[in-house]
Amino acid sequence: MSSDRAAERFEALLARAHEQLGIAVYDGLMSAGGPPELRDPDQMLGRLLASVHRRTGDAVVGRLARSRRGPSEPAGVGRAAPAEGLLMRRSASVRLKYREQAMNCARQYWPLDVVQVMGAAVDAVQKLIAGLEEEMLPDATRDRLLRVSSSLGRVLALPQHVQLPPALGGYDYVQEVEDYLSTCTWRLVAQARRSKQLLDGELAPYFHAAEISWLGMLEVSQDLGDDLDMAHREALSLSRAVAAVEEASTDFRGADLQLVDLDGVDLEGIRWDASTGWPPEWEKRIWKASLAAGTGQGELIVGAEPSDSTVPADI
């Protein structure tokens, strides 16, 4: 391994370690109710920790700036892993505390099933291409394409990124969820916009021409089909992102929640098991409100109301 390659790997490890340290500090503070009111001895320790973290960050940034890369080479140091895994790595107490905000965020970015919408658009254009290759256009073709254009308009109405106030260290959990969903949505909306422009601006005028140009219409339709295929893939990415947020907001199997203040927290739909640690005063209530998930793996789901039957303790 070359020395440059070894240096890059070392710098990537430093950047990753610094990021994880910041997340751990932030999650620890927020799960305990936010930054504590410091007394004099605590202030010295807190300032020392903050100084160490800041100096570590400065050192990492300095090393990255001095790294020897070509001008056209993309920066790979510190590149985040897929957000599906990162969300589940966050502290269970923080995921539980902010689960309602995270779920609401996911619902805002998933007001309609975009996978179904884009899949129907792809099917409609593929049928158009098949007809054009046979030089036949069914009577309903134009109406079908109008519906596709309308569906793309609904995709374009998906929410734009909302910039939240900067958080301590930049590790706010809700901000991370928002950034993840908005990035996937941005890619989908950009591809849907290109598809709609091609459909409305280049394909639709052929239906108003005095004579159909079969070859020209076929070429535009094929380009539109390619664009919609890409949009469909972006819709699948957004679907996976929403599922990852929901998973991080509901899966607390094996989590240690004994020190979490559960007052006011919506627990309905949470998945847990016998290894999940609840606050002692909540344990009986959780068991009574839960039902077996039926997966055969000892998984339980918290219901909206206490159950009339008792879940076996040895499930």
Side-chain angles (χ1 to χ4, degrees):
M1 179 183 297
S2 67
S3 59
D4 288 349
R5 181 61 177 167
E8 284 188 3
R9 293 188 60 183
F10 179 65
E11 289 156 3
L13 289 174
L14 279 177
R16 185 63 178 160
H18 180 255
E19 179 186 13
Q20 290 301 307
L21 174 61
I23 290 175
V25 171
Y26 179 81
D27 283 359
L29 288 174
M30 298 311 294
S31 63
E37 182 179 352
L38 299 177
R39 299 183 178 88
D40 289 342
D42 296 328
Q43 288 179 348
M44 294 182 61
L45 177 59
R47 289 170 181 167
L48 177 61
L49 288 173
S51 176
V52 170
H53 185 254
R54 184 171 57 254
R55 290 176 180 273
T56 304
D58 293 341
V60 171
V61 170
R63 289 188 64 89
L64 297 182
R66 294 192 299 270
S67 62
R68 290 180 289 181
R69 297 189 195 91
S72 61
E73 183 180 353
V77 176
R79 181 175 298 161
E84 295 95 319
L86 292 181
L87 293 180
M88 284 301 297
R89 292 176 191 170
R90 298 299 294 262
S91 166
S93 55
V94 168
R95 289 189 287 115
L96 180 60
K97 181 177 180 179
Y98 295 104
R99 72 181 297 261
E100 186 173 357
Q101 292 96 315
M103 293 287 282
N104 287 338
C105 186
R107 295 186 191 103
Q108 290 175 3
Y109 282 92
W110 194 259
L112 70 159
D113 189 340
V114 293
V115 173
Q116 182 180 15
V117 168
M118 299 312 306
V122 170
D123 290 341
V125 173
Q126 290 301 324
K127 290 178 181 178
L128 171 62
I129 292 173
L132 290 172
E133 289 175 342
E134 299 292 332
E135 295 191 358
M136 294 186 304
L137 284 180
D139 295 337
T141 298
R142 184 173 180 274
D143 292 338
R144 187 180 296 116
L145 291 179
L146 288 175
R147 288 194 294 271
V148 169
S149 179
S150 176
S151 297
L152 291 175
R154 296 173 66 194
V155 174
L156 297 182
L158 291 176
Q160 300 299 310
H161 177 60
V162 178
Q163 184 65 43
L164 299 179
L168 174 64
Y171 302 119
D172 182 79
Y173 176 68
V174 179
Q175 179 74 68
E176 184 174 9
V177 170
E178 175 86 18
D179 290 342
Y180 179 36
L181 293 171
S182 65
T183 299
C184 296
T185 304
W186 182 87
R187 294 198 303 263
L188 169 60
V189 169
Q191 194 61 48
R193 182 177 294 109
R194 284 192 290 268
S195 300
K196 184 171 173 59
Q197 290 172 347
L198 186 59
L199 173 57
D200 296 343
E202 297 189 34
L203 183 58
Y206 279 101
F207 288 90
H208 303 289
E211 184 177 350
I212 293 180
S213 172
W214 296 100
L215 181 58
M217 198 172 183
L218 178 59
E219 290 178 352
V220 175
S221 298
Q222 289 172 338
D223 289 342
L224 177 59
D226 293 339
D227 285 350
L228 288 174
D229 277 335
M230 295 181 64
H232 185 250
R233 287 196 290 271
E234 297 298 349
L236 290 170
S237 295
L238 177 57
S239 174
R240 289 191 293 269
V242 171
V245 174
E246 293 174 345
E247 182 76 4
S249 302
T250 57
D251 187 0
F252 293 92
R253 292 171 295 176
D256 183 5
L257 306 172
Q258 298 182 66
L259 300 180
V260 179
D261 181 5
L262 298 181
D263 290 332
V265 178
D266 181 12
L267 301 177
E268 182 182 356
I270 282 180
R271 292 185 291 126
W272 62 286
D273 57 20
S275 62
T276 302
W278 297 103
E281 65 274 17
W282 279 81
E283 191 167 359
K284 290 184 178 179
R285 296 165 61 181
I286 296 296
W287 276 101
K288 189 170 180 59
S290 300
L291 294 173
T295 61
Q297 299 178 353
E299 182 179 332
L300 302 166
I301 299 179
V302 179
E305 300 292 341
S307 175
D308 293 334
S309 59
T310 302
V311 178
D314 58 350
I315 189 171

